C-alpha cells in the first residue's frame, strides 16, 4: 500500500496543483468581469508546450529544470496529505524546509545558464524575496516546532487533530497571523509578483524557456502552489484525516489569497522586503517570544 | 613510537623539502608530496589508538608529553588530508612563482605544527606548537609581499599574539595553582579548583580560541588574510587552521573542565555555553550578510568560513550528544567543502590570469566544467542541500537546538543558511553562468593536478552526504571520548523517536523522481542547442560583452541591510591600532637625541623619587 | 467539450494544443497594438479563446504584426520570429503590413512583409476592430486543423531565399543563419 501511495501522492498533488492553476485563471477572470478560459486551460497549454520544438542553452539549462521538478515532486511525499505521508519518517520538517529549496535553486541554475540578464534579475529578485519571507516564516515554523516539541510534521498534525488547530490555539494564533501575512509572498501572488513581472523583466527566470522547458516550469509552479498551501494547511489548519476535507481546506486558503492577488498592484522588490521585514517579522517575533515564554 | 615518528617526519620533512629545493625543484615537489602522503598513511594506521606518553626531554623543568586519542586523531586526520591535497594542488598553481622552496617549507611546517598542537599532551608544548603555527601562518599570509599582504599579515599576527598572550597567562596561572601543565593531570585537579581561577582560565583561553576561530567580534583578520593568501594555503587556513580554535574549545570545555564544572560556571541564565552560543549565533547572521556584500570570490568564501564557525560553536555549546555530534561533524564537512571551494576559486584565478573580481567573470561553465562541478557541489554542501554532507551536520545542529527549546539560536542558524543561498548562488552565477565575456574565450580547462583534489573532495561531499553513518561513527567516538552518550546510528542516517533522518530514502526518491522527469523531458520535448548569442533581447541582436547582470547582484537588499551590517569590530580594532600608532609617535618625541635632555629626565625622576620618599616615606 | 472535440483531442493532441493555446508575443510593431489591450482585457477577453500575451518570443506561438513595418522594425520582427519555437503562426494585422497601407509610397516602409517572413493570415482594415482578431483566431483554428498554417515549414524550406531577401533590405544581419543555407 505504501508503494502505491509513493507514486500516487505526487500524481494527486500534480493534478490538484494544475487544477488550482486553472481555477486561479478562471476566478481571476470572473473578478475582472471576464468569461475566462476553460478550467483545463493549463493542461492545454502544457500539451501545446510539449509539442513545440525549443531552444536549449546547455546541459545545466536542461538539468536544472529536471532537478527542480523532481525536487518538488519529492516534497509531496514528505507532506502529510490527508492521513497519508509516505516518506514523512525520513527527516521531518527540516528536510521539507531544505527540499523546498531545490525547486527554486534548480530554476535559478538553469535560468542563469541561459545567459539572459532578465533571467538573472528575476533570480536575484526571487532570492531576495525568499530571504524576505523566510525571516518571518522561519520564526513561525520554529514557534510551531517549539510549541509541539517535535520536528515531525506528522506529529504536529496529530497533536492538532487531537486538540485544536494551531491557528485557533493561544500562543500560536500570533504566529498564524504572521504566516497569513507572508503567504502571498510565498505563493508569488501580487503584491509580491516581482519575480516574473512580465511587463518589467520579460517573465524573469523563464525568459529563455520555451516548449518542454516552459511546460516543466509550469508543472513545477503548480506543484509549488500545492506545496505551499499544503504546508500551511498542515501546520496551521490542523491538516486532516480525510483527503477530501484536506483538499477543501486547501481550496479555501487558495481562493482567499487569490482575492488578494486580484486586487493588488505590484510592489518593488525593495518595498516587498521592507514590508516583509517589518510587520510579519514583528508579529512573528512576538509569536516566537510568546511560545518561548509559555513553553510547551 | 608512532606519534613521535609522525612529528619527526612532519617537521623533518618540511626542513628537508627546503634543502632539496636548493638542488632541484622536481625533487622538492616529489618529496613534499611523498612526505604528505606518508603522513596520511601513518595517521591512518594510528586510528583508534589511545595513549599518553612523556617525552624524555622538557623545558624549564616541565616534562613534555604527547597524547593520542580520538579527538586528536580526528583533527590530525583533517589536517593531514587537506595538507596532502593542498600540496598536490600547489604544483601547478604555484608554478612559475618566486620563492617556492620557502613556500613549500612553510606550508609543510604549518601542517607539522598544527599536528603538534593536536597531539601535544601538556599545555606548554601545546603553546609552543601554537606559536610555531601562528608565526608560520603570518609568513605565508604575507608571502606575496606588497603593502596589502603585509598589512593582512600584521593584522593577523597582532590578533594572534593577543590570543597567545592570553593563553600564556592562563597556562602560567594554572601552573602556579597546580604545579603541572599536563592535560590529563589538570583535568583531575580542575575538579577541585576555585570558581574564580576557573573563570579566569576559561575567559583567557576562550579569547585565544575565539580569535583563532575567527568568531565575531574577532573575525576581522580572516577576510583580509584570505584575500592575500595563495589559494592552496587559503584552503588550509579555512579548512583546518581556524578550526584549531574549536580543538582548543573541546580541550578546554570537555577534557579539562568537564560537564559538571561547566554547569557551575553560570550566573543565572548567563552561562559559559550560553555566551558562546550567542557569539556563534551573531557570527552566523553577521557573516552571512557581510558575505552578501562582497565582490571578491575569495572574500565571499572567507566570510562563509567565519559564518560556518558559528554553526560549529552552536552545536558544541548545546552540549547534548546530538548537538556535539553535529558540531564535530560540521568541522569535518566544512573542511571538505571549503577546501573544495578555495581550490575552485584558485583554479579560476590560475586560468584567467588572476581574476577574482566577480563582476568580470562569467559563462565559465562551458570552459571549465570540472571547476564548475566542484564549485556547485561545494556551494550545495555549504548551503546543506540534502544528499550533501553539510545537510546531515546542519540537520543535527538544528534538531538539537529545537529539541533543547532554543528557538532563537535555531532561527539564527536557519537565517544564516538562507543568507548562504544568496551569496552561494551569486558565487556560482557570476563565475560560471551568464554570458562568456570575449576576453575569456580562450580559457583552458583545469590542469590535471588541480582537478584531482577537486574531484576527490567532490566525491567526499556526496559520500559523506549519502552514507553519513561512516564519518558519524568516528564523530561518535570523539564524542564518547569527551564523555557524551554515543548517538544511535546506522549507515544511512539517524534513527530516533523524535524525528529520524534517512538519507537513503531521500536518495532513492530523488533518483527515481529525477529519472522519471528526465524520461518525460527526453521523450516529449525536442530541443536544439543554440549559441549564447542567440538570446532574447527584445528583438535586437544582443550587445556583445555587455549582456549580463552581475554587478551589484543584490543591490536592493544591499541598500536595506548595509547600514546595519557595517563591520564595527573591524573599525574599532583599526581605530585602536591607529591610536596606538599615534601614541608611539608621541613617545618617540621623548628621545630627542640631546644628552642634556636625558640628564634632565634622570634628574627629574630622582627628584620625584626623593619627593615621594620625603612626603609619604613608602620605602 | 462535445464528442467530436474529444475524438480530435485523442487523435491529435498536439494539433489541438496548438489551436487552443495561442500565446502571442507581446511586441508592439506599430499603431495596431492599440487594439490589443481591449481585446485581452475585460471587454473582449481573448483568454477565453486561449489567447494570452507572453513576455518573450520563446514562450509564444502566435505573432501578431500589428501595424506598419519600417526597415528597422523588420529586423526586430525577423529576430523575434526566429526565436519563437516551432510550430509558430504569424498574422499580419491591419492594412499596413499587407501592402504598406497609407505609407505605400514611403521609402522606409516594408510593403511586402511575406517576402521576409512567412505570414499565415491577414486581417484587413485600418484599424481592424478587436472582433476581427477573434475572427482571425477562429480562422487560424481552421487552418491549423487542415494543416494549412504551415508558414514555419515554408520558412524552413525556403530559408535561403528568405535570408537573401532579408540581407538585401537590411544590408546584412548581425546573427548567423538559423538553418544551414544550401549553396546556390
Amino acid at each position: 500500500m505504501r508503494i502505491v501511495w509513493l507514486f500516487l501522492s505526487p500524481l494527486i498533488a500534480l493534478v490538484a496543483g494544475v487544477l488550482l492553476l486553472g481555477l486561479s485563471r478562471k476566478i481571476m477572470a470572473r473578478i475582472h468581469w471576464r468569461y475566462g478560459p476553460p478550467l483545463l486551460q493549463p493542461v492545454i497549454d502544457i500539451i501545446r508546450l510539449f509539442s513545440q520544438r525549443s531552444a536549449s542553452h546547455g546541459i545545466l539549462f536542461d538539468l536544472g529544470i529536471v532537478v527542480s521538478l523532481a525536487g518538488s515532486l519529492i516534497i509531496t511525499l514528505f507532506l502529510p496529505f490527508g492521513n497519508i505521508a509516505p516518506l514523512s519518517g525520513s527527516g521531518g520538517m527540516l528536510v521539507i524546509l531544505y527540499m523546498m529549496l531545490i525547486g527554486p535553486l534548480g530554476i535559478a541554475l538553469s535560468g542563469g545558464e541561459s545567459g539572459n540578464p532578465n533571467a538573472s534579475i528575476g533570480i536575484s529578485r526571487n532570492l531576495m524575496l525568499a530571504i524576505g519571507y523566510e525571516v518571518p516564516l522561519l520564526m513561525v515554523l520554529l514557534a510551531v516546532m517549539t510549541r509541539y516539541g517535535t520536528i515531525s510534521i506528522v506529529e504536529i498534525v496529530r497533536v492538532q487533530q487531537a486538540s485544536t488547530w494551531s491557528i485557533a490555539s493561544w500562543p500560536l494564533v500570533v504566529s498564524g497571523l504572521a504566516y497569513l501575512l507572508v503567504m502571498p509572498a510565498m505563493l508569488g501572488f501580487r503584491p509580491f509578483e516581482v519575480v516574473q513581472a512580465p511587463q518589467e523583466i520579460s517573465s524573469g527566470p523563464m525568459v529563455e524557456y520555451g516548449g518542454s522547458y516552459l511546460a516543466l516550469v509550469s508543472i513545477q509552479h503548480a506543484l509549488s502552489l500545492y506545496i505551499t498551501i499544503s504546508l500551511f494547511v498542515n501546520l496551521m489548519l490542523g491538516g486532516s484525516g480525510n483527503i477530501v476535507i484536506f483538499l477543501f481546506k486547501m481550496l479555501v486558503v487558495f481562493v482567499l489569497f487569490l482575492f488578494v492577488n486580484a486586487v493588488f498592484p505590484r510592489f518593488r522588490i525593495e518595498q516587498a522586503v521592507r514590508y516583509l521585514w517589518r510587520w510579519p517579522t514583528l508579529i512573528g517575533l512576538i509569536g516566537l517570544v510568546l511560545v518561548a515564554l509559555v513553553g510547551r | 613510537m608512532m606519534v613521535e615518528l609522525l612529528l619527526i617526519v612532519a617537521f623533518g620533512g618540511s626542513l628537508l623539502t627546503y634543502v632539496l629545493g636548493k638542488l632541484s625543484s622536481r625533487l622538492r615537489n616529489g618529496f613534499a608530496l611523498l612526505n604528505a602522503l606518508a603522513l596520511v598513511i601513518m595517521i591512518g594506521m594510528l586510528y583508534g589508538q589511545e595513549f599518553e606518553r612523556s617525552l624524555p626531554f622538557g623545558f624549564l623543568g616541565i616534562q613534555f608529553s604527547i597524547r593520542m586519542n580520538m579527538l586528536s586523531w580526528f583533527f590530525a586526520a583533517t589536517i593531514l588530508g587537506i595538507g596532502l591535497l593542498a600540496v598536490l594542488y600547489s604544483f601547478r598553481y604555484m608554478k612559475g612563482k618566486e620563492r617556492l622552496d620557502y613556500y613549500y617549507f612553510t606550508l609543510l611546517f604549518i601542517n607539522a605544527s598544527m599536528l603538534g598542537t593536536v597531539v601535544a599532551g601538556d599545555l606548554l608544548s601545546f603553546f609552543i606548537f601554537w606559536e610555531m603555527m601562528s608565526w608560520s601562518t603570518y609568513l605565508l599570509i604575507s608571502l606575496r609581499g606588497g603593502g596589502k599582504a603585509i598589512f593582512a599579515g600584521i593584522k593577523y599576527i597582532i590578533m594572534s599574539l593577543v590570543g597567545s598572550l592570553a593563553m600564556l597567562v592562563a597556562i602560567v596561572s594554572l601552573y602556579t595553582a597546580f604545579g603541572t601543565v599536563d592535560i590529563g593531570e589538570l583535568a583531575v585537579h580542575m575538579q577541585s579548583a576555585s570558581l574564580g581561577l576557573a573563570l579566569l582560565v576559561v575567559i583567557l583561553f576562550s579569547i585565544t580560541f575565539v580569535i583563532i576561530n575567527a568568531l565575531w567580534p574577532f573575525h576581522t583578520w580572516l577576510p583580509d588574510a584570505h584575500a592575500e593568501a595563495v589559494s592552496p594555503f587559503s584552503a588550509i587556513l579555512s579548512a583546518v587552521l581556524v578550526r584549531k580554535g574549536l580543538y582548543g574549545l573541546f580541550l578546554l570545555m570537555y577534557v579539562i573542565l568537564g560537564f559538571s564544572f561547566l554547569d557551575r560556571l553560570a550566573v543565572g541564565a548567563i552561562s559559559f555555553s550560553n555566551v558562546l552560543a550567542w557569539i556563534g549565533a551573531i557570527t552566523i547572521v553577521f557573516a552571512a550578510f557581510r558575505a552578501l556584500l562582497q565582490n571578491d570570490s575569495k572574500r565571499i568564501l572567507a566570510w562563509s568560513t567565519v559564518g560556518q564557525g558559528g554553526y560549529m560553536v552552536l552545536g558544541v555549546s548545546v552540549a547534548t550528544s546530538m548537538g556535539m555530534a553535529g558540531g564535530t561533524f560540521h568541522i569535518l564537512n566544512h573542511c571538505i567543502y571549503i577546501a573544495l571551494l578555495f581550490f575552485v576559486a584558485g583554479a579560476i584565478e590560475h586560468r584567467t590570469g588572476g581574476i577574482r573580481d566577480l563582476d568580470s567573470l562569467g559563462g565559465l561553465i562551458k570552459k571549465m566544467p570540472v571547476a564548475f562541478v566542484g564549485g556547485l557541489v561545494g556551494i550545495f554542501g555549504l548551503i546543506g542541500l540534502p544528499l550533501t554532507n553539510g545537510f546531515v551536520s546542519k540537520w543535527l545542529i538544528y534538531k538539537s537546538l529545537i529539541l533543547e527549546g532554543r528557538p532563537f539560536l535555531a532561527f539564527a542558524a536557519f537565517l544564516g543558511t538562507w543568507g548562504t543561498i544568496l551569496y552561494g548562488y551569486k558565487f556560482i552565477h557570476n563565475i560560471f553562468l551568464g554570458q562568456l565575456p570575449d576576453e575569456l574565450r580562450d580559457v583552458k580547462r583545469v590542469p590535471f593536478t588541480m582537478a584531482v583534489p577537486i574531484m576527490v573532495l567532490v566525491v567526499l561531499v556526496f559520500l559523506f552526504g549519502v552514507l553519513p553513518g561512516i564519518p558519524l561513527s568516528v564523530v561518535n567516538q570523539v564524542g564518547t571520548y569527551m564523555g557524551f552518550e554515543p548517538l544511535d546510528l546506522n549507515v544511512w542516517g539517524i534513527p530516533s523517536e523524535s524525528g529520524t533522518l534517512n538519507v537513503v530514502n531521500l536518495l532513492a526518491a530523488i533518483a527515481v523522481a529525477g529519472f522519471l522527469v528526465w524520461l518525460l523531458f527526453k521523450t516529449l520535448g525536442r530541443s536544439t542547442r543554440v549559441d549564447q548569442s542567440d538570446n532574447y533581447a527584445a528583438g535586437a541582436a544582443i550587445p556583445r560583452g555587455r549582456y549580463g547582470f552581475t554587478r551589484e547582484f543584490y543591490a536592493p537588499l544591499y541598500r536595506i541591510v548595509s547600514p546595519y551590517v557595517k563591520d564595527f569590530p573591524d573599525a574599532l580594532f583599526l581605530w585602536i591600532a591607529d591610536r596606538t600608532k599615534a601614541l608611539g609617535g608621541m613617545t618617540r618625541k621623548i628621545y630627542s637625541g640631546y644628552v642634556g635632555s636625558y640628564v634632565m629626565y634622570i634628574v627629574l625622576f630622582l627628584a620625584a623619587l626623593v619627593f615621594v620618599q620625603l612626603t609619604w616615606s613608602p620605602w | 467539450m462535445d464528442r467530436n472535440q474529444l475524438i480530435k483531442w485523442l487523435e491529435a493532441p498536439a494539433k489541438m494544443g496548438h489551436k487552443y493555446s495561442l500565446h502571442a508575443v507581446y511586441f508592439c510593431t506599430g499603431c495596431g497594438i492599440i487594439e490589443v489591450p481591449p481585446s485581452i482585457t475585460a471587454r473582449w477577453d481573448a483568454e477565453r479563446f486561449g489567447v494570452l500575451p507572453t513576455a518573450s518570443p520563446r514562450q509564444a506561438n502566435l505573432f501578431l504584426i500589428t501595424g506598419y513595418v519600417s526597415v528597422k522594425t523588420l529586423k526586430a520582427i525577423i529576430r523575434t520570429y526566429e526565436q519563437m519555437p516551432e510550430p509558430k503562426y504569424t498574422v499580419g494585422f491591419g492594412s499596413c503590413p499587407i501592402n504598406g497601407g497609407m505609407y505605400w509610397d514611403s521609402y522606409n516602409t516594408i510593403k511586402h512583409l511575406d517576402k521576409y517572413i512567412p505570414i499565415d493570415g491577414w486581417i484587413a482594415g485600418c484599424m481592424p476592430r478587436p472582433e476581427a482578431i477573434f475572427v482571425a483566431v477562429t480562422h487560424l483554428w481552421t487552418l491549423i486543423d487542415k494543416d494549412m498554417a504551415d508558414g514555419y515549414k515554408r520558412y524552413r524550406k525556403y530559408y535561403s531565399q528568405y535570408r537573401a531577401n532579408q540581407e538585401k533590405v537590411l544590408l546584412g544581419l548581425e546573427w548567423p543563419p538559423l538553418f544551414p543555407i544550401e549553396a546556390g
Side-chain angles (χ1 to χ4, degrees), chain B residues 71 118 164 283:
Chain B
L71 182 61
V118 295
S164 306
T283 310

PDB file of all heavy atoms in Angstrom, chain B residues 71 118 164 283:
ATOM      1  N   LEU B  71      39.901  12.355  19.708  1.00  0.00           N
ATOM      2  CA  LEU B  71      39.808  13.794  19.447  1.00  0.00           C
ATOM      3  C   LEU B  71      41.007  14.276  18.637  1.00  0.00           C
ATOM      4  O   LEU B  71      40.866  14.924  17.594  1.00  0.00           O
ATOM      5  CB  LEU B  71      39.711  14.538  20.786  1.00  0.00           C
ATOM      6  CG  LEU B  71      39.551  16.050  20.725  1.00  0.00           C
ATOM      7  CD1 LEU B  71      38.288  16.408  19.998  1.00  0.00           C
ATOM      8  CD2 LEU B  71      39.534  16.629  22.124  1.00  0.00           C
ATOM      9  N   VAL B 118      47.663  19.292  18.101  1.00  0.00           N
ATOM     10  CA  VAL B 118      46.614  18.334  18.456  1.00  0.00           C
ATOM     11  C   VAL B 118      47.162  17.096  19.154  1.00  0.00           C
ATOM     12  O   VAL B 118      46.405  16.394  19.813  1.00  0.00           O
ATOM     13  CB  VAL B 118      45.750  17.911  17.248  1.00  0.00           C
ATOM     14  CG1 VAL B 118      44.990  19.096  16.725  1.00  0.00           C
ATOM     15  CG2 VAL B 118      46.571  17.269  16.182  1.00  0.00           C
ATOM     16  N   SER B 164      47.658  34.582  22.017  1.00  0.00           N
ATOM     17  CA  SER B 164      48.720  33.763  22.593  1.00  0.00           C
ATOM     18  C   SER B 164      49.075  34.236  23.994  1.00  0.00           C
ATOM     19  O   SER B 164      49.280  33.427  24.905  1.00  0.00           O
ATOM     20  CB  SER B 164      49.965  33.821  21.727  1.00  0.00           C
ATOM     21  OG  SER B 164      49.641  33.482  20.423  1.00  0.00           O
ATOM     22  N   THR B 283      27.680  35.524  14.999  1.00  0.00           N
ATOM     23  CA  THR B 283      28.654  35.290  13.938  1.00  0.00           C
ATOM     24  C   THR B 283      27.973  34.803  12.670  1.00  0.00           C
ATOM     25  O   THR B 283      28.258  35.288  11.577  1.00  0.00           O
ATOM     26  CB  THR B 283      29.681  34.247  14.385  1.00  0.00           C
ATOM     27  OG1 THR B 283      30.176  34.619  15.647  1.00  0.00           O
ATOM     28  CG2 THR B 283      30.800  34.135  13.398  1.00  0.00           C
TER      29      THR B 283
END
